[in-house]
Amino acid sequence: MTPASIDAAQRGAGGYVWRFKLVHRWTHAIVMVSFFLLVLTGLPLRFSCAFWSEPLMRLLGGVEMAGRLHRIGAILTFGYFGFHVAYLVGLLWKADERRSMLWGEDSIVPQPRDVTDFIAQIRWYFGRGPRPRFARYSYMEKFDYFAVFWGVAIIGSSGLVLWFPELFARFLPGWAFNVATVVHGEEALLAAGFIFTIHFFHVHLRPEKFPLDAVMFTGRATAEYMEEEHGLLSGRIEARSGETPSSVSIPDLPAPAPTRRQTLVAVIFGFTALGFGIALVGMILWGASFC
Amino acid sequence: MTGRPLLILVLGWALCPPVAGQAVPRQGCDLCHGELELLRQHTATLEEAMALLAPATTLLASAHRGMSCAECHSGFDRFPHREGGFGTRTCRSCHEAAEETWASGAHATESEAGCTACHGVHAVASLERLRAADAIPERNAVCATCHLEAPSGTGDAHADRVLCTSCHNPHATLPVADPGSWMHARRQASTCGACHDETSLEWTDDAHAAAVSGQQGIEIVDGHIRTPSCAGCHGAHPILPKAAPDFATHVTERCQACHEDYSESFADSYHGKAATLGSDQVAQCAGCHGAHSVYPARDARSSVSEDNLLETCRSCHPEAGAKFAGFRPHAHPNDPNELPQIYWTNRFMIWLLMGVFGLFGLHSILWVGRSAAQVIGRADADHDAKRGSVS
């Protein structure tokens, strides 16, 4: 088994196509690293009575050190969040990008198509129709994307309240800290649980893609993969397939095949994240059952 | 008895006969009773020889150094000793009060540990020696010969620094449940207060002291005393020094033994979670409620009374404003009687989690079923196609 055969995005016929820009991939990588840091340092506190929480805290260097690491994770999160919002504003500034960003096949904004896609998907589950052909972002991917906004807003704001209680107590009532505690803990559980089960399943573990889809790390996928996952883009991809592969990651343009080294790095990074995530799900399940 | 040692004995006695009232009166006895080797030759066992051994050096170092052998042992003034007519005075003949106290204690009623079991026979320690700081380990070792479970070693603030007998009356030794015991819950404040006087004074009118003053018995749960008393919170063996990293956690566990409801809500709070995981920075029970001046919140003297609460919070959160103290450190988000904001937020979050995981869980399960069917179907089709091409 070669590294390339592990990556779902490198399976199938056709040349390679760029799917994600470099800036997308770096943003996603920082989201991953900060998210793991936050979950790893926050989970033992959420399930402090679980058998694994005390050894994990010791491993992290104690409660105070875990707290510092958690705040570093928070700073990273606010950092990428701010960066991404600025990036979006920058794109919206450009008139030619605005239309396709806000509506249509290239847009990540939810629209009627997503409802019909969802219904088609359910029909497909029961053998009542073909699998829907998705645009640039499927409704699952849109949900994943906006879940980060919702999550950062809710977990981030409640986390800030808990981080600076003296400051926030100037205008918030005391019970707000109890509410923030509940919201922060439960919403974080939702986020971690969602990413490490639903997102992992949808992106990596479902039979079509198992065991790993590295498209977010290498930035590219085969034309056949794109046809299966984002069929509505096929026409455009086909139209430009004759061009020479672009070394710059511009979506839909032909791309050079990922090198063995790039693939290896992507696979190792991906499997590490999958392993950590699945281990954390086990810990969450233990904690939720016995705490 | 063979001839030669007897000759030596006779000679020895002839040279230095015992003379009453002399400055070194034991010298004659010491000639034989100071020499284990010699005694051993005239006795059947080593134990017998040991019993007869009483070197002058031992006696001179003891509390009885001013006394002659004959003051306790009668009938030995002739040598060779006559058969019969010997007598040994009991300790009681001088130490009547001590023996009477002892007779009321557990050492008399529960065991047969008499005077010599602790004080020895000839090496009776002087009062100065009994009280000497450097003698503490040696004195405590005497207790430990029977009380194997007695504390010792590292981690105990009292080990090698406090005599067993400072806390446990050596003569009227009683079980802790006995109101006469120095360690009875109601007497601990005065016993421990002998050294910890300020703490004990501080404690004497707080809520725990008030509770214990009405308490006759003493309850022991899991080997811990459940009555609010010094040892009830600090434990006894071992008793942790305040500087120990887990001192606060250790005391918190003792609070939890009685205050179960509050301990659960504490364990669910960030203070409690961090404490459970080993933080020594966060507030635990005593951090807010105080240690030796604990009063119910309705009492104006309480550190958590309406007027004092904010000041208590400020000991860790110096910038805290008036609203800060409105935080509920013992919240029960799952209890409908909790503040509705907290209860309903918790309900909403639980429904949200159930909804999201339910919807997407089902979405994923249906997907895996469909994809698996399709992947298998494709494999079958490939297989059929290959077979078709072969045939």
Side-chain angles (χ1 to χ4, degrees):
Chain A
M1 190 160 61
T2 61
S5 72
I6 291 168
D7 178 7
Q10 297 188 38
R11 286 179 219 145
Y16 282 89
V17 180
W18 285 112
R19 168 140 174 81
F20 291 117
K21 289 182 184 174
L22 191 63
V23 63
H24 300 151
R25 288 179 269 146
W26 270 109
T27 307
H28 185 266
I30 292 165
V31 172
M32 283 173 72
V33 169
S34 62
F35 191 69
F36 274 112
L37 188 60
L38 287 166
V39 176
L40 207 61
T41 50
L43 212 56
L45 213 55
R46 178 65 182 77
F47 295 119
S48 56
C49 61
F51 75 93
W52 45 261
S53 58
E54 219 184 317
L56 179 55
M57 271 298 184
R58 263 202 303 277
L59 195 74
L60 293 165
V63 177
E64 275 72 34
M65 180 52 84
R68 278 193 284 277
L69 293 172
H70 198 77
R71 285 161 178 83
I72 291 172
I75 291 166
L76 276 173
T77 301
F78 293 129
Y80 75 66
F81 193 72
F83 168 78
H84 190 68
V85 170
Y87 169 79
L88 292 180
V89 170
L91 285 184
L92 285 171
W93 213 254
K94 296 182 206 158
D96 54 329
E97 298 254 11
R98 202 177 305 152
R99 266 191 75 86
S100 65
M101 248 186 91
L102 293 176
W103 204 257
E105 284 180 2
D106 291 326
S107 173
I108 202 159
V109 176
Q111 40 203 289
R113 182 202 323 281
D114 297 307
V115 179
T116 52
D117 280 351
F118 175 71
I119 293 166
Q121 177 87 356
I122 301 292
R123 289 179 64 85
W124 173 66
Y125 286 161
F126 295 102
R128 299 285 174 90
R131 219 182 131 187
R133 282 157 65 83
F134 294 115
R136 184 168 308 284
Y137 304 109
S138 71
Y139 65 86
M140 284 295 290
E141 288 167 326
K142 291 181 180 182
F143 190 90
D144 276 351
Y145 177 79
F146 285 104
V148 180
F149 277 88
W150 159 264
V152 170
I154 299 293
I155 308 175
S157 57
S158 57
L160 276 175
V161 166
L162 296 168
W163 185 354
F164 303 107
E166 287 144 290
L167 174 72
F168 283 96
R170 285 191 202 158
F171 44 89
L172 290 179
W175 54 259
F177 300 99
N178 294 101
V179 169
T181 304
V182 170
V183 168
H184 193 77
E186 297 301 306
E187 183 69 31
L189 213 54
L190 176 61
F194 189 88
I195 294 299
F196 300 147
T197 59
I198 310 295
H199 176 73
F200 275 13
F201 169 76
H202 169 245
V203 176
H204 304 290
L205 302 178
R206 61 186 157 99
E208 304 92 315
K209 290 190 170 188
F210 189 87
L212 187 77
D213 180 351
V215 68
M216 188 45 108
F217 308 139
T218 65
R220 56 209 113 163
T222 61
E224 187 176 328
Y225 168 100
M226 290 302 285
E227 164 59 32
E228 274 188 27
E229 297 292 325
H230 304 280
L232 284 190
L233 301 178
S234 283
R236 248 184 297 172
I237 290 168
E238 187 77 20
R240 307 192 68 166
S241 60
E243 296 178 26
T244 47
S246 164
S247 59
V248 182
S249 48
I250 299 165
D252 303 339
L253 283 191
T259 64
R260 194 185 145 79
R261 190 190 165 84
Q262 283 168 333
T263 307
L264 205 61
V265 169
V267 165
I268 290 170
F269 189 61
F271 274 147
T272 307
L274 270 174
F276 263 100
I278 290 164
L280 287 164
V281 167
M283 285 156 66
I284 291 173
L285 286 177
W286 204 99
S289 312
F290 302 111
C291 265
Chain B
M1 219 178 253
T2 51
R4 189 178 296 212
L6 186 65
L7 182 70
I8 296 169
L9 279 177
V10 172
L11 276 173
W13 179 77
L15 287 167
C16 304
V19 181
Q22 209 175 300
V24 194
R26 287 169 298 271
Q27 209 167 359
C29 306
D30 191 55
L31 276 174
C32 299
H33 289 278
E35 300 294 334
L36 184 62
E37 194 93 340
L38 188 67
L39 293 166
R40 182 66 189 88
Q41 291 174 30
H42 299 279
T43 49
T45 63
L46 179 64
E47 283 73 34
E48 247 176 85
M50 292 289 282
L52 291 170
L53 184 72
T57 46
T58 305
L59 283 145
L60 279 169
S62 80
H64 293 151
R65 62 178 163 272
M67 292 166 65
S68 70
C69 302
E71 277 179 75
C72 291
H73 302 284
S74 59
F76 296 100
D77 50 339
R78 297 276 291 273
F79 191 88
H81 301 319
R82 284 175 301 197
E83 293 289 324
F86 310 138
T88 298
R89 279 167 69 180
T90 59
C91 306
R92 187 191 170 89
S93 62
C94 293
H95 304 282
E96 194 177 346
E99 186 177 304
E100 263 169 30
T101 330
W102 167 82
S104 70
H107 281 152
T109 57
E110 303 283 320
S111 70
E112 287 170 2
C115 311
T116 56
C118 302
H119 292 280
V121 182
H122 292 112
V124 181
S126 62
L127 268 182
E128 302 86 76
R129 191 67 198 139
L130 283 177
R131 290 166 182 169
D134 65 338
I136 291 171
E138 160 199 327
R139 300 308 315 156
N140 288 353
V142 172
C143 304
T145 52
C146 294
H147 299 279
L148 299 175
E149 79 286 6
S152 63
T154 53
D156 190 310
H158 286 162
D160 296 345
R161 294 177 65 200
V162 177
L163 284 166
C164 302
T165 54
S166 295
C167 303
H168 303 283
N169 187 338
H171 291 138
T173 312
L174 294 167
V176 285
D178 190 305
S181 166
W182 288 358
M183 275 293 119
H184 182 263
R186 292 169 72 179
R187 296 189 62 176
Q188 283 180 25
S190 66
T191 303
C192 303
C195 296
H196 304 279
D197 48 350
E198 281 179 24
T199 309
S200 133
L201 278 176
E202 201 186 321
W203 191 73
T204 42
D205 70 348
D206 90 340
H208 287 141
V212 75
S213 64
Q215 194 135 3
Q216 288 298 324
I218 197 161
E219 201 183 336
I220 297 186
V221 176
D222 299 334
H224 291 281
I225 301 165
R226 208 190 135 119
T227 311
S229 59
C230 307
C233 301
H234 292 279
H237 307 137
I239 190 154
L240 286 183
K242 202 179 170 188
D246 50 347
F247 175 79
T249 311
H250 182 81
V251 173
T252 295
E253 281 168 17
R254 305 314 319 137
C255 302
Q256 289 170 340
C258 298
H259 302 280
E260 283 155 18
D261 174 38
Y262 287 100
S263 90
E264 269 174 38
S265 52
F266 171 71
D268 280 343
S269 72
Y270 277 124
H271 288 143
K273 285 164 181 284
T276 307
L277 297 174
S279 170
D280 56 358
Q281 313 266 305
V282 287
Q284 299 197 32
C285 307
C288 301
H289 295 276
H292 302 115
S293 310
V294 180
Y295 300 98
R298 60 179 177 277
D299 190 315
R301 292 170 295 176
S302 169
S303 57
V304 294
S305 73
E306 220 179 321
D307 291 339
N308 296 336
L309 184 57
L310 183 59
E311 209 44 55
T312 302
C313 299
R314 279 181 175 158
S315 60
C316 294
H317 305 278
E319 304 293 323
K323 285 178 179 169
F324 190 91
F327 170 65
R328 295 165 71 89
H330 291 283
H332 297 85
N334 282 315
D335 184 348
N337 297 319
E338 182 52 80
L339 282 183
Q341 306 88 305
I342 299 171
Y343 175 75
W344 286 108
T345 304
N346 190 50
R347 285 282 97 185
F348 172 77
M349 292 310 298
I350 290 169
W351 291 332
L352 181 69
L353 262 77
M354 281 165 53
V356 170
F357 285 119
L359 177 67
F360 285 98
L362 193 64
H363 188 270
S364 302
I365 288 166
L366 290 172
W367 197 336
V368 82
R370 182 63 186 161
S371 294
Q374 199 148 6
V375 169
I376 292 164
R378 198 184 294 164
D380 284 349
D382 286 354
H383 189 66
D384 291 345
K386 271 182 197 156
R387 269 188 20 176
S389 67
V390 168
S391 59

